[in-house]
Amino acid sequence: MIIALAGGVGGARLAHGLARVLPPGELTVIVNTGDDFEHLGLHISPDPDTVLYTLAELADAERGWGLRGETFHAMEALGRLGGENWFALGDRDLATHIERTRRLAAGDTLSAITADFAARLGISQAILPMSDDAVRTIVHTDAGALPFQDYFVRRHCAPRLISLEFAGAETATPSPALRAAMARADLRGIIICPSNPFLSIGPILAIPGIRSWLAGRRVPCIAVSPLIGGKAVKGPAAKILAELQIETTPRAIALHYQGLIDGLMIDEADAADRFGECAVTATLMRDIADRERLAREALAYIERLRPAA
Ligand code: FO1
C-alpha cells in the first residue's frame, strides 16, 4: 500500500496517476482540509472534492476544481437576488455540499461521508480527510487575518501575505481510518504530491500525529516538487512564496520537508539547482499518460530508496 499526501489540483493529478497504475485498494490519499469553510450554510471541502472528482474522472481539466461540463445557474440566480456568489458553486457540485452538510448535521464524520461519496463515485482507493477535527487555514495579511477562501478566491490573493496559521491543527488528531492506514504493515512508501508545500501540505503536516508518524516512518517517503523552472505550475504560489520570503528552488522545498522525506523529485528545468537526494524527471502533467508516467517514476524512486533488507 502507498500513502499519498495531497492538496488540490496538482496533488489530485498525481493521486489519479497512482490510482491508475496501482492495483485497486493499494492507494490511500490523505487530503488537506485546511481550505474547508462554511459558506451559504454549506460545508465546503474543496481539496477532498477535487481529489474525489479527479479520481472519479469527473473533474474539469481546465479549471482543476469542480465538475466537467458544469453550469452555474444557481450562482447567477443568487447574484440577481443580491446574494454572495464570489465562490462559484456549480449546479451539480452543489449536490455534494448539500448532502455533505446534511450528513454532518446528522452526526456522520467527514471521513465517513468522504468514503461513502468515493464508493458511490466508483473510486476503489481510500480518500481520507487529514482529520475529522476542524483545521482552518488563516492567512495573516496587510489587510488583516483572512479565512483562506476569502484571501484566495474573494480577494484573488491581492493582500500581502505575512504569515500562515492552521487554526485547530495543534489539537486535531488523525481519524481512526487514517490511524489504521498509517499503521498498515504492508505500507511500502509515502508520496507527498506536487501540491503547494506551504498552503496545501503545510496544514496536513501541522497535525502533530501525522507529522510525528512521518518523522518516525519505516518506509521511504518522497516529495514531488511543485516547481518547474523555479516557478509554481498553477495558482499564485510564486507571489505567496515571495511574500513569505521563501525562494522557489528545490533547496527551499527540501528544507521545508527536512526530516520528513528521503528524496525529492524535481523537474528537468530545475536540475541545475538540485539539492540533496533528488530524482530528475519531467513533472508537468498535461494528460493522463503524464500522470501515469510520473506515478510509475515516483513508485520506482521509492523502491530505489528502500534500504536493502
Ligand atoms: N477556486 C477559485 O479560484 N474560484 C472559485 O470560484 C472556486 C470555487 C470552488 C468551488 C468548489 C470547490 O470544491 C473548489 C472551488 N475553487 C474555486 C477551488 C478552491 O478555492 C481550492 O481551495 C483552491 O483551488 C486551492 O486548492
Side-chain angles (χ1 to χ4, degrees), residues 22-298:
L22 286 166
E26 288 296 303
L27 174 68
T28 294
V29 191
I30 306 179
V31 190
N32 171 40
T33 56
D35 297 6
D36 285 24
F37 71 134
E38 307 291 326
H39 184 59
L40 305 174
L42 300 171
H43 181 107
I44 319 287
S45 274
D47 286 357
D49 286 352
T50 296
V51 173
L52 277 172
Y53 294 161
T54 303
L55 264 58
E57 304 194 349
L58 296 171
D60 184 286
E62 283 282 297
R63 277 196 313 268
W65 52 268
L67 291 158
R68 192 168 57 239
E70 184 63 284
T71 54
F72 293 88
H73 300 303
M75 286 294 113
E76 283 159 31
L78 192 61
R80 268 201 303 278
L81 297 174
E84 280 194 39
N85 63 357
W86 57 269
F87 196 78
L89 296 172
D91 296 328
R92 287 185 298 140
D93 185 38
L94 269 168
T96 305
H97 313 304
I98 291 169
E99 181 57 10
R100 176 190 294 117
T101 307
R102 184 191 70 77
R103 292 195 197 183
L104 282 170
D108 285 359
T109 62
L110 194 59
S111 299
I113 299 165
T114 308
D116 188 53
F117 284 0
R120 287 172 187 273
L121 294 177
I123 298 169
S124 59
Q125 292 75 25
I127 300 176
L128 304 178
M130 64 191 196
S131 178
D132 286 327
D133 303 321
V135 177
R136 296 291 175 263
T137 299
I138 308 289
V139 186
H140 293 275
T141 73
D142 59 0
L146 303 172
F148 178 77
Q149 300 295 350
D150 203 319
Y151 163 79
F152 194 81
V153 175
R154 191 183 205 162
R155 300 176 190 233
H156 309 289
C157 306
R160 193 174 61 80
L161 195 153
I162 297 165
S163 64
L164 294 169
E165 176 190 348
F166 307 118
E170 276 291 292
T171 52
T173 56
S175 66
L178 180 45
R179 277 202 297 277
M182 296 189 306
R184 282 263 296 252
D186 62 345
L187 182 63
R188 281 169 43 211
I190 305 159
I191 299 174
I192 301 180
C193 291
S195 298
N196 185 302
F198 302 87
L199 281 174
S200 302
I201 304 295
I204 306 179
L205 302 181
I207 296 177
I210 299 183
R211 194 177 185 93
S212 61
W213 162 72
L214 260 186
R217 71 199 172 280
R218 294 187 176 171
V219 295
C221 176
I222 63 161
V224 180
S225 168
L227 303 174
I228 295 187
K231 293 201 184 73
V233 177
K234 210 170 184 303
K239 175 180 182 287
I240 291 168
L241 294 179
E243 288 170 356
L244 287 172
Q245 298 184 341
I246 294 160
E247 52 181 29
T248 45
T249 59
R251 180 171 171 274
I253 309 291
L255 291 178
H256 177 68
Y257 291 135
Q258 198 166 31
L260 305 177
I261 61 169
D262 304 294
L264 181 65
M265 288 189 88
I266 61 170
D267 192 75
E268 292 153 348
D270 296 303
D273 288 330
R274 60 184 299 155
F275 180 82
E277 170 54 53
C278 276
V280 180
T281 187
T283 59
L284 187 64
M285 291 175 280
R286 283 195 199 85
D287 53 24
I288 290 183
D290 284 343
R291 296 177 191 183
E292 291 183 354
R293 178 192 43 76
L294 190 60
R296 284 202 184 89
E297 290 181 4

